[in-house]
């Protein structure tokens, strides 16, 4: 495939590459799996153990709120990470930047696993926890855009939804791994909450070191994308462009803000399905930890299937239509979810998890191609990352802070009303976007 320089009217052939599209797809999937495994185990731990380990003096409800507040810190950090890593991803390349995000995530996660409890070092424990959680969010802020750009910029025309699906599958696999690791750890330790609270919860965090090693091997083995290298070749000898962040905001601020609104519901359902329902199932509904984790693993399989189907359909009917359909489903589901859950039935809880993550997956599948297609090459990493991670602030940072107080003050249905409002916002923001499936990169 060749590209045309609008300024000069010359045809520029992308440099030849020995890296196959399939190899890039696999490497991107493994990379996002590792990054989101690290991210998810924090959410699971925030629901199951962090209130007692790091906020024991606050009591059950306040400790849970404080624990999920630290969970939300990562979503605040994500836009900052998107700007910094986006800058280097647009200047020095996707591959080098993604290696940096993987190392930062791995180090932050392993240090959380080594962090002493509040009983041992007092208030320093939650402060260090917040700083390390910020590091996790900072890394993920730079990870997602780079991983999707790798596959989107390698993919042949008409198949970007298919290939950009692979990094999107990472969170589904990561949720299976994170829930499975906690489940196995709990099974090995038996029913001793004391042992699990003392050190058992640390095992999933320390296991991250093995996964990071695998991820680094895979990422070092691939080459820079041909689209980025062609753009760099075109710019050789030209006057340097402005900062990617400033250019992205100057020329495409509308697309950044609309994409943030369009994906806000996606993040809200992500938080709801992977963290809040884990806490709600164990603490409010009284289900055992192994049961809740097992349902989480099964629901992640549903999540992965939804990603695959929606990504493939987005190549046929467009990204916008698929995401708008997910918003309509989210609006209805948000209003019936908690009445279903509050029946207290194990089957109802399983249905709640499956439905929530299926709707998340329907929206998540197409966005791996949608956001890269929306932005110019010279600031694509920055623009896609900003849109995605600003959505994380709106949908992933705010709900964790207000969900528990809402449920306590007005009942669980109030959470459903909040989610329904976000679904309406996302629908109209998606409707305002331009269809991108036929855009050339």
């Amino acid at each position: 495939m060749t590209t045309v320089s609008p300024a000069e009217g010359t045809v520029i052939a992308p440099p030849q590459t020995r890296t196959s599209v399939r190899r890039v797809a696999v490497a991107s999937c493994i990379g996002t799996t590792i990054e989101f495994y690290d991210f998810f185990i924090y959410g699971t731990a925030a629901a199951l153990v962090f209130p007692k380990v790091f906020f024991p003096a606050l009591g059950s409800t306040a400790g849970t709120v404080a624990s999920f507040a630290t969970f939300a810190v990562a979503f605040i950090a994500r836009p900052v990470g998107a700007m910094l890593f986006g800058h280097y991803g647009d200047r020095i390349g996707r591959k080098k930047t993604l290696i940096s995000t993987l190392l930062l995530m791995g180090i932050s996660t392993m240090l959380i696993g080594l962090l002493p409890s509040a009983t041992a070092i007092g208030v320093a424990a939650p402060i260090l926890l917040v700083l390390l959680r910020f590091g996790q969010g900072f890394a993920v802020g730079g990870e997602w855009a780079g991983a999707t750009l790798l596959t989107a910029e390698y993919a042949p025309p008409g198949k970007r939804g298919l290939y950009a699906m692979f990094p999107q599958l990472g969170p589904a696999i990561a949720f299976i791994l994170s829930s499975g690791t906690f489940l196995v750890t709990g099974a090995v330790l038996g029913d001793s909450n004391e042992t699990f609270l003392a050190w058992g919860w640390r095992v999933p965090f320390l296991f991250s070191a093995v996964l990071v090693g695998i991820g680094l091997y895979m990422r070092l083995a691939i080459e820079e994308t041909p689209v980025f290298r062609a753009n760099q070749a075109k710019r050789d000898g030209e006057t340097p462009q402005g900062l990617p962040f400033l250019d992205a905001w100057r020329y495409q601020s509308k697309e950044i803000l609309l994409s943030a609104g369009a994906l806000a519901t996606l993040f809200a359902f992500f938080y709801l399905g992977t963290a809040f329902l884990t806490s709600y199932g164990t603490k409010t509904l009284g289900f055992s930890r192994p049961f809740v984790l097992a349902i989480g693993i099964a629901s992640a399989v549903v999540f992965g299937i939804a990603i695959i189907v929606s990504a493939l359909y987005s190549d046929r009917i467009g990204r916008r239509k698929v995401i708008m359909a997910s918003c309509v489903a989210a609006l209805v589901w948000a209003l019936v979810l908690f009445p279903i859950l509050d029946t207290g039935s194990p089957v109802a809880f399983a249905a709640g998890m499956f439905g929530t993550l299926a709707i998340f997956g329907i929206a998540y599948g197409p966005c791996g191609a949608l956001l890269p297609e929306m932005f110019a090459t010279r600031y694509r990493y920055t623009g896609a990352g900003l849109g995605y991670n600003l959505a994380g602030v709106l949908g992933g940072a705010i709900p964790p802070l207000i969900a528990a107080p809402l449920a306590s003050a007005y009942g669980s249905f109030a959470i459903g009303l909040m989610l329904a409002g976000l679904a309406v916002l996302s629908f109209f923001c998606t409707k305002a976007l331009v269809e991108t499936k036929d855009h050339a990169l």
Side-chain angles (χ1 to χ4, degrees):
M1 185 178 69
T2 59
T3 57
V4 178
S5 168
E8 302 174 11
T10 55
V11 177
I12 300 166
Q16 295 298 310
T17 176
R18 296 185 302 275
T19 302
S20 71
V21 180
R22 291 182 181 179
R23 187 174 188 177
V24 171
V26 172
S28 293
C29 182
I30 291 174
T32 54
T33 296
I34 294 165
E35 294 257 14
F36 279 92
Y37 166 83
D38 291 352
F39 202 71
F40 283 172
I41 56 174
Y42 191 100
T44 305
L48 298 178
V49 298
F50 283 179
K52 295 180 180 179
V53 173
F54 294 107
F55 306 99
L58 297 181
S60 178
T61 300
T64 300
V65 172
S67 181
F68 281 127
T70 67
F71 179 84
V73 163
F75 290 96
I76 304 298
R78 286 171 74 151
V80 183
M83 285 187 285
L84 179 66
F85 287 115
H87 173 87
Y88 288 106
D90 285 323
R91 285 292 177 85
I92 67 173
R94 293 36 168 143
K95 173 184 171 178
K96 293 177 182 177
T97 305
L98 284 170
I99 290 171
S100 300
T101 65
L102 186 62
L103 285 172
L104 176 59
M105 174 61 88
I107 292 169
S108 298
T109 303
M110 287 183 283
L111 288 177
I112 291 173
L114 297 171
L115 191 61
S117 68
T119 304
I121 61 172
V123 72
I127 292 174
L128 290 172
L129 181 67
V130 168
L131 291 175
L132 293 172
R133 179 60 174 170
F134 190 92
Q136 281 191 318
F138 199 67
V140 170
E143 163 67 22
W144 181 87
T148 55
L149 260 59
L150 272 183
T151 50
E153 291 184 345
Y154 264 103
K159 293 186 177 181
R160 279 197 295 268
L162 166 64
Y163 283 101
M165 167 194 78
F166 283 90
Q168 301 301 85
L169 283 173
I173 301 170
F175 192 44
I176 293 172
L177 287 175
S178 64
S179 296
T181 307
F182 275 101
L183 188 62
V184 170
T185 302
V188 171
L189 295 177
D191 295 327
S192 174
N193 279 329
E194 291 76 15
T195 304
F196 187 77
L197 288 173
W199 61 268
W201 67 269
R202 301 178 185 274
V203 174
F205 288 85
L206 299 176
F207 179 66
S208 172
V210 177
L211 298 178
V212 168
I214 296 171
L216 282 175
Y217 173 79
M218 292 298 298
R219 286 195 167 164
L220 288 169
I222 61 174
E223 297 180 35
E224 187 55 75
T225 72
V227 172
F228 177 80
R229 287 184 290 141
N231 188 64
Q232 289 294 93
K234 184 188 76 173
R235 287 165 52 183
D236 283 348
E238 293 182 356
T239 303
Q241 300 281 351
L243 293 175
F245 167 72
L246 295 179
D247 281 351
W249 189 255
R250 180 182 298 120
Y251 298 115
Q252 292 194 263
S253 58
K254 176 184 175 183
E255 285 81 1
I256 291 172
L257 294 175
L258 284 176
S259 60
L263 302 182
T265 301
L266 177 157
F267 275 97
F269 272 61
F270 152 80
Y271 153 71
L272 186 72
T274 60
F276 184 78
L277 288 185
T278 301
S279 175
Y280 196 79
T282 54
K283 296 179 181 177
T284 302
L285 301 178
F287 296 126
S288 69
R289 182 171 64 224
F291 170 77
V292 171
L293 291 173
I295 294 299
I297 292 171
S299 64
V301 175
V302 175
F303 171 32
I305 294 171
I307 289 172
I308 295 170
V309 173
S310 63
L312 294 176
Y313 260 89
S314 78
D315 276 336
R316 296 175 56 186
I317 66 174
R319 324 298 183 205
R320 290 169 65 252
K321 290 180 180 178
V322 176
I323 295 176
M324 287 167 66
S326 78
C327 294
V328 173
L331 173 60
V332 176
W333 188 247
L335 297 176
V336 301
L337 173 60
F338 283 94
I340 291 173
L341 290 174
D342 289 342
T343 63
S345 163
V347 174
F349 180 76
M353 288 284 285
F354 292 168
T356 300
L357 286 183
I359 292 170
F360 172 29
I362 293 170
Y364 200 61
C367 74
L370 171 70
L371 267 68
E373 291 168 343
M374 288 171 57
F375 298 97
T377 303
R378 72 177 187 273
Y379 52 76
R380 181 172 293 138
Y381 200 130
T382 303
L386 277 174
Y388 182 79
N389 289 296
L390 286 174
V393 175
L394 183 59
I398 297 174
L401 294 177
I402 65 177
L406 273 178
S408 178
Y410 303 106
S412 58
F413 188 70
I415 302 175
L417 290 175
M418 173 190 68
L419 294 171
L422 281 174
V424 172
L425 170 68
S426 292
F427 179 87
F428 285 106
C429 286
T430 306
K431 187 176 176 63
L433 288 171
V434 175
E435 181 53 61
T436 63
K437 80 179 182 70
D438 297 321
H439 286 190
L441 294 184

